[in-house]
Amino acid sequence: MITQLIIPAAGLGRRLGLQLPKALAMLGNQSLVARTLNCLLPVEFTEPSIVIFPKGYEEAFREALSEVPVAIQYIEGGLERRDSVKRGLDGLNPDTDIVVIHDAARPFPPLRAVCTAIDATRQYGAATLATPVTDTILTDNGTGCLGMTPDRSLLWSCQTPQVFQVDLIRQAYGDERNTGISCTDDATLVQRIGSPVKLVDGGVMNFKVTTKLELAFANYLLEQGLV
Ligand code: C5P
């Protein structure tokens, strides 16, 4: 099986309040995107790995990733994450069977779980890292009041990597059941066309850096040697 990696990193990260894209924020002595990619190197993906950058930032990304010891193909992202991933899928090598899609914004991907997800994809066609929620989750009924309280024992918080057989994720992207829907991950598109997606526990350290607090927390974990 030939397995390739796509890193969507084309978000502007406005919630982080920086003047540069989130993926270029510094985490220790490296940018977020460089750390994320470096963490995944032991998986030994088929090269090149694909990095999706925001319009106008190709040179800055090339510079930020200049010391990562793998071949990288740079592709300009789109308006929504989904547009960015679609462009990445179009850039895969023709003989790639399995694609691993991992957001630049998750700098501590757990390697064992990533490998479990790749193995599960051979059986199920798709797998995603996720982790069971510990909070009780509420829905809003549309008026700012409590709508319903889903059974917590069934709830998982979605993460990446998400892993797919390439034909299946391409089919999901092209399927009319997924046209025009708003979607912040790719596994949901596969589930919507009726294919199973195996859930693999990625643990709490595989968190996403969205806010200043999470960036500070990620830096603290590194300084303390906890990751
Ligand atoms: O916005 P959010 O944090 O959910 O984005 C998840 C990942 O998708 C980030 O790594 C971000 O850079 C990427 N993204 C993208 N293209 C967009 C929007 C987000 O590659 N248009």
Side-chain angles (χ1 to χ4, degrees), residues 27 32 35-36 39-40 102 104-111 160 202-207 209 214 217-222 227:
L27 194 48
L32 192 54
R35 181 165 297 279
T36 300
C39 276
L40 286 168
H102 183 62
R106 293 185 190 272
F108 308 124
L111 290 179
T160 64
V204 293
M205 296 298 259
N206 188 28
F207 63 91
V209 173
E214 286 149 354
F217 181 55
N219 268 306
Y220 171 80
L221 292 173
L222 276 175
V227 280

